[in-house]
Amino acid sequence: MQKQNNLLIFILTIGIFGIINTEMGVIGILPSIADHFHVSISKAGLLVSLFALAVAVSGPTMPLLFSGMNRKKVMLLVLGVFVLGNIVSIFTTNFTLALVARIVPAFFHPIYCSLAFTVAADSVSKEEAPKAVSKVFIGVSAGMVVGVPIVSFIANAASIEMAMAFFAIVNAIVFLATLIFVPSMPVEEKLSYGAQLSVLKKSITWLSIVAVILLNSAVFGVYSYLTEYLKTVTNMSSNTISLMLLIYGGANIIGNIAAGKLLTKNANKSVVIFPFALGAVYIILFLFGQFTIPMAILTLIWGILAGIGGNINQYWIMSSAPESPDFANGLFLTAVNLGTTIGAAAGGLFISELGTQYVVFVGLLSLLLSSVMIFLRNYKFTPTQQLS
């Protein structure tokens, strides 16, 4: 049984990697895509921004619509849509068609991700659930961090079509692994849409959603401009910047592993401490960001905290609506995407008005507001009420 669970969690982790990699991998090859389709770089950027927008819009609705269906069939459907979209992207020379081939799978993205978290949590005991979810989260980090340089390398070494083929191959492998090794997972207790939507009547759900939007804004409002910061404030070379991004990514994966243990041990305490720990990193970053060695150490610590933060976000929304796991995970995906959008926009504003160094204030402001939301939830609801 243990072996079967481990295999299931491994397949889900690679599945998440394939889907997140399809979303984020394009970032590393945007200039090549612009050349390939003879469009401007800002137009090529639509492949990223419209994908994220589709995920944010479909986050709460799509997992809800598919919540009553056999989970294995739903996973195969989503992976199939991604494989088809990837194949179209390889062979098309028309940018509009490439855009459609990206946006259609994006609407299905939250279904697989929310299911992966739910299935991982259900495959183990309630106490071990955060640990199982943190393993699946490694796929998120790997997709966001490892995927970008891999795709960039393939595009430079071979061609843009081969880079697109990489997305298709990963998703096709997971499709086959799901088909062969994942058991049928019919939904035993089908919740009505009304019962699932009723979690939105609870103030604890809204306090948690707002806290997560702010927490993700705190991470991505600053991280989105890390390359710019390292270039203009720390004065690093492009090779050193690539190394820093890799350190951040590796640290993110360490953070995921640590988060599983922290949330299993004392979830509430971990959530309360997190904004203060990240806030301390940002203050030191502001004071010593122009020095290379302190910046390298801070990037490592920041990456670990960001990895922990992703797990905290999922846990915080999930624990506010445990009676509707698929819908709660959909809300989580929407909240983090909104947080990323708001944070990145605010970061851009701070940079243009005050200068690159001041981008950390977006993080500090978001962390301060998120602490208020976390305090309100803990003040209004006892730990037992929070999980009931």
Side-chain angles (χ1 to χ4, degrees):
M1 187 66 185
Q2 182 64 39
K3 253 186 180 174
Q4 200 180 355
N5 280 352
N6 288 344
L7 179 64
L8 175 65
I9 288 170
F10 178 71
I11 291 169
L12 293 172
T13 305
I14 304 297
I16 289 266
F17 168 74
I19 281 175
I20 300 286
N21 187 33
T22 301
E23 177 183 5
M24 304 299 288
V26 166
I27 291 170
I29 53 169
L30 276 183
S32 312
I33 286 175
D35 290 345
H36 181 74
F37 288 108
H38 310 293
V39 293
S40 66
I41 193 83
S42 58
K43 200 169 180 187
L46 290 172
L47 291 170
V48 180
S49 54
L50 290 181
F51 193 108
L53 186 65
V55 173
V57 169
S58 62
T61 49
M62 292 294 269
L64 188 68
L65 288 173
F66 286 84
S67 59
M69 285 174 66
N70 185 308
R71 284 168 172 172
K72 178 177 177 173
K73 286 179 182 171
V74 175
M75 282 181 189
L76 288 170
L77 169 71
V78 178
L79 291 163
V81 169
F82 266 81
V83 173
L84 281 173
N86 296 152
I87 290 169
V88 171
S89 299
I90 298 167
F91 295 106
T92 185
T93 50
N94 180 306
F95 183 73
T96 309
L97 189 58
L99 206 53
V100 172
R102 288 265 304 163
I103 294 165
V104 173
F107 282 104
F108 288 82
H109 173 298
I111 306 170
Y112 189 92
C113 292
S114 69
L115 267 186
F117 298 136
T118 307
V119 169
D122 286 351
S123 70
V124 293
S125 66
K126 207 170 183 178
E127 296 72 36
E128 290 292 308
K131 224 178 253 183
V133 171
S134 74
K135 285 177 185 168
V136 175
F137 250 101
I138 292 171
V140 177
S141 295
M144 289 176 76
V145 184
V146 186
V148 176
I150 289 175
V151 173
S152 184
F153 172 77
I154 296 169
N156 292 330
S159 67
I160 191 134
E161 286 88 354
M162 285 309 291
M164 298 284 192
F166 175 66
F167 301 147
I169 291 162
V170 175
N171 287 313
I173 289 168
V174 180
F175 181 92
L176 289 172
T178 305
L179 189 67
I180 299 162
F181 299 110
V182 173
S184 176
M185 290 183 283
V187 177
E188 274 138 36
E189 197 186 334
K190 189 181 173 183
L191 290 167
S192 69
Y193 294 150
Q196 294 188 70
L197 286 166
S198 67
V199 302
L200 294 174
K201 290 179 185 169
K202 303 192 300 179
S203 59
I204 188 171
T205 308
W206 287 104
L207 284 170
S208 307
I209 289 169
V210 176
V212 167
I213 290 171
L214 290 163
L215 285 171
N216 221 50
S217 163
V219 173
F220 281 91
V222 187
Y223 172 67
S224 300
Y225 302 98
L226 176 57
T227 305
E228 179 66 16
Y229 194 95
L230 295 171
K231 192 170 137 189
T232 55
V233 180
T234 323
N235 290 318
M236 284 186 179
S237 68
S238 50
N239 283 348
T240 317
I241 290 171
S242 299
L243 180 66
M244 287 295 123
L245 293 174
L246 213 59
I247 288 171
Y248 184 95
N252 221 283
I253 293 171
I254 297 166
N256 284 321
I257 298 161
K261 290 174 179 155
L262 288 170
L263 290 170
T264 307
K265 205 171 173 187
N266 193 331
N268 223 22
K269 197 175 172 185
S270 305
V271 177
V272 171
I273 292 170
F274 177 77
F276 295 97
L278 187 57
V281 167
Y282 283 167
I283 290 165
I284 300 167
L285 190 73
F286 182 71
L287 298 172
F288 300 100
Q290 68 267 44
F291 304 110
T292 304
I293 304 294
M295 193 61 206
I297 297 163
L298 284 169
T299 303
L300 177 72
I301 299 165
W302 180 13
I304 292 170
L305 285 171
I308 294 169
N311 286 266
I312 279 175
N313 287 339
Q314 193 271 344
Y315 168 81
W316 206 233
I317 290 187
M318 193 66 197
S319 61
S320 73
E323 67 274 36
S324 178
D326 292 342
F327 184 53
N329 278 321
L331 290 172
F332 153 71
L333 290 164
T334 295
V336 291
N337 275 282
L338 280 174
T340 302
T341 309
I342 293 165
L349 207 64
F350 268 69
I351 288 172
S352 61
E353 294 297 319
L354 301 166
T356 307
Q357 199 177 351
Y358 292 90
V359 73
V360 293
F361 285 100
V362 172
L364 290 168
L365 190 63
S366 300
L367 288 169
L368 183 69
L369 294 170
S370 68
S371 292
V372 174
M373 293 299 148
I374 292 164
F375 170 77
L376 282 173
R377 169 171 153 169
N378 286 339
Y379 177 75
K380 284 186 74 172
F381 304 92
T382 64
T384 337
Q385 279 177 310
Q386 287 188 36
L387 287 167
S388 64

